[in-house]
Amino acid sequence: MNVVDHVRDMAAAGLYSNVRILSSLLLTMSNNNPELFSPAQKYQLLVYHADAIFHDKEYRNAACKYSMALQQKKVLNKTSKVRTSTGGAAANIQAQSLPSEIEVKYKIAECYTILKLDKDAIAVLDGIPSRQRTPKINMMLANLYRKAGQERSAVTSYKEVLRQCPLALDAIIGTYSHLL
């Protein structure tokens, strides 16, 4: 078990202050010695660090750290394509245990929504391909569209929620509330 696994376990246990301190220390060490962690480990550390900051209600800082994690994920994707072409089954197994890029984008949008930066939140969620959007993402997007006065887009997103979760009452109400 490596140190990143310990950070993951602390995050899963809800020990956010510990995660924040340790991940900050490890990220500083990584910046001073880039070979210390693999791109995948650095991505994980950034996400766990951002989650701890989010838990402390420092949403602007958390959004920044989540964005850094997405940049790191791009680096990871480039290096994993090179490794995959040279035959790396271990890289594929490791990719399955990484925090979801879609979930990171959702967390960024959540930060922006709390900070009342609805247009930025919409832009982040719109950047997620529609086939990869979960009902949770579509619901947030629908509510943001509704607040922005974009009724058609809101109804489309509510209907997408209902396609996947037919009994989502907020989506049903949102779909037909413009008729009332």
Side-chain angles (χ1 to χ4, degrees):
M1 188 170 198
N2 65 38
V3 69
V4 178
D5 293 334
H6 286 291
V7 173
R8 183 195 63 231
D9 290 348
M10 286 191 301
L15 302 175
Y16 295 109
S17 62
N18 295 282
V19 169
R20 186 171 180 169
I21 293 166
L22 185 56
S23 61
S24 179
L25 175 68
L26 295 172
L27 288 168
T28 300
M29 290 170 58
S30 174
N31 289 338
N32 292 332
N33 181 5
E35 291 82 36
L36 189 60
F37 298 111
S38 70
Q41 289 174 318
K42 189 163 183 185
Y43 170 69
Q44 287 176 297
L45 284 172
L46 283 164
V47 172
Y48 298 139
H49 187 66
D51 286 344
I53 294 169
F54 183 90
H55 183 267
D56 287 344
K57 298 181 168 86
E58 295 178 28
Y59 302 113
R60 194 170 309 279
N61 191 6
C64 179
K65 297 298 181 193
Y66 284 126
S67 296
M68 288 172 65
L70 289 178
Q71 290 299 323
Q72 182 63 34
K73 181 71 167 160
K74 288 179 184 175
V75 170
L76 174 62
N77 288 342
K78 287 179 185 175
T79 58
S80 67
K81 285 179 185 172
V82 172
R83 285 192 190 132
T84 304
S85 65
T86 60
N92 198 15
I93 292 167
Q94 188 181 32
Q96 293 172 352
S97 68
L98 293 177
S100 161
E101 191 173 341
I102 304 301
E103 194 59 34
V104 172
K105 288 181 179 182
Y106 178 82
K107 285 292 224 172
I108 292 172
E110 207 171 11
C111 291
Y112 286 155
T113 301
I114 292 167
L115 294 168
K116 309 274 188 249
L117 301 171
D118 292 346
K119 288 182 182 178
D120 293 333
I122 289 171
V124 169
L125 295 177
D126 271 339
I128 300 171
S130 55
R131 291 196 184 276
Q132 294 179 346
R133 293 180 190 158
T134 62
K136 174 173 78 170
I137 291 170
N138 279 315
M139 193 68 187
M140 179 184 264
L141 199 50
N143 290 333
L144 288 166
Y145 282 143
R146 164 89 9 95
K147 280 174 65 177
Q150 299 176 29
E151 289 298 319
R152 280 189 182 182
S153 296
V155 169
T156 301
S157 292
Y158 283 131
K159 285 183 178 179
E160 192 56 34
V161 172
L162 291 171
R163 189 178 69 72
Q164 295 175 341
C165 302
L167 297 179
L169 296 179
D170 282 341
I172 293 169
I173 292 167
T175 301
Y176 297 106
S177 66
H178 69 285
L179 299 175
L180 301 175

